[in-house]
Structure formats: structure tokens, C-alpha cells
Amino acid sequence: MRLDKLLANKGYGSRKDVKGLIKKKNVTVNDQVVKDSSFHVDLEKDVVKVNHEIVYYREYIYVMLNKPSGYVSATADDREKTVIDLLPAEYRLFNPFPVGRLDKDTEGLLLITNDGQLGHQLTSPKKAAEKTYYADIRGHVTEDDIEQFRLGVQLDDGYIARPAKLKILRAGNMSQVYVTITEGKFHQVKRMFEAVGKKVVYLKRIQMGNIMLDDNLEPGDFRELEDTEVESLKKSRSKK
Ligand code: URA
């Protein structure tokens, strides 16, 4: 990472302020004064000091967002507000990205990180982390639907969805369910219910891998993951 970016990340001021600090020889890397703001720091090994004090930095951020409706799961978009817009500038400096996608109108748990390896692990079809959603459904969800989801429903393009777990919380003209899937096809949950003749009218993700959405987060709120949560996410696997 560039030295000026690192120090700006750590709150030593704007990039311009930091460049001033560097020019004035206040910054060392491995005890050598560095005057070049674009100097590349190896976050694994290099020791950076500002005015003789070690700068403790970190490479990765891990954020849990309760995604509100109305935001797209992208890092940038010409027309729409993105989930990254919900984070303050000091987080955006890490170039974070959302892990997988929630539709614009879907709410709930979205992990945002700059850890590409973890992002890949959680979204890779091979690793198949479980994702659980709460959904309001127009239509009477039945035991037969549970069985069809267990066997794998056929989506509109012919694709047979992987077995999914469906739990009925309330059945009626409007039903309430939990559904757990291990893949992330476009509009997957909505299309799975369409396949059994029903319509998702509200969708909220409540779990991803071993992580539950924090009840204290209102839509639009976020918090950093605890170290234990990050470790547990890294161990997330499909329970099949
Ligand atoms: N399935 C959907 O249909 N939409 C989402 O946002 C997530 C899963």
C-alpha cells in the first residue's frame, strides 16, 4: 500500500497533510526516512513510524451492514446509490466491496470487506456458504413446497436449484418463511418461489455462513465484525 494512503487511512490527516508530514522527514520505514509519498509499504513486514512512534495498521476491514432497500450491491454506479455510499470515508479508503449481491429491494446482512480471499470463499459455488433469508410470501406455503425445495426446484431458465431448506413460520394467503440456500444465482430466492407459484414480497437476509445479522443494527447501520466473527466466517462451510 502507498505510504500516503496508509497514513491517511490511519487518521494522520488528508493525503495532502500526510504528504507534508512525509516531506518534512517525520516518517520512517524500517528506520529509514522516506520522502516519497508514493513509497510502497509491505503491510506484512515493514515498520512505519511517524515522529518515532510505530504506526499500527491493518490490511483488512470487515463490516456487517444491515442493507436498506433502495441501494445496489456494487462499489460504484452511475445512477443508483450503492451500499459503499453508506460507509464513512475512512472505510471507503480501504476499497471495500460487498460480498455477493442483494437485490436493490432486499434488506439485511451484507458483508463488506477488502479481503478478496474471504469474499471468494463465501461466494464460490464450491465452498457454498449457507445463506438464510426471512421472506414474506404472497401465497400459501405448504409442506409440499418444503419437499420441492429439499429436492431442488427448477428455475425459469431450466436450472435446477441446489437443495434448499424451507421453514414455515406462518402459512396463509400471506406466508412467512425462513429459507436457506447455498448458492447465489440472480434473484435466486424470488425465482425459487416463482417456481412453486408464489411471490416474494419482502426479503431480508439474516445469516451468512456462521454470522447472524446483529439485531441492534437498523437498516442502513453497520458495525465492524469482531475478530472471532471473522475467524468463524473463514470456517464457514455448507452443512449440506
Ligand atoms: N435471492 C433473491 O431473490 N434476491 C436477493 O437479494 C437475494 C437472494
Side-chain angles (χ1 to χ4, degrees), residues 102-103 106 133 187-190 203:
L102 291 178
D103 295 337
T106 300
Y133 296 82
H187 295 333
Q188 172 129 8
V189 172
K190 292 172 184 165
L203 190 61

Side-chain angles (χ1 to χ4, degrees), residues 42-109:
D42 182 338
L43 298 174
E44 300 287 332
K45 325 197 267 260
D46 290 338
V47 177
V48 179
K49 292 183 188 166
V50 174
N51 296 326
H52 308 289
E53 302 246 338
I54 295 187
V55 176
Y56 292 98
Y57 47 75
R58 57 190 182 147
E59 191 170 2
Y60 296 121
I61 56 154
Y62 302 93
V63 167
M64 169 193 294
L65 171 73
N66 183 356
K67 178 190 171 298
S69 177
Y71 287 77
V72 295
S73 300
T75 48
D77 195 284
D78 289 343
R79 280 165 299 165
E80 308 278 6
K81 294 173 288 185
T82 78
V83 290
I84 302 297
D85 295 333
L86 291 162
L87 301 181
E90 64 261 36
Y91 286 85
R92 294 201 302 268
L93 283 170
F94 283 87
N95 294 325
F97 58 86
V99 176
R101 277 170 191 228
L102 291 178
D103 295 337
K104 186 175 166 189
D105 62 351
T106 300
E107 296 186 357
L109 174 59

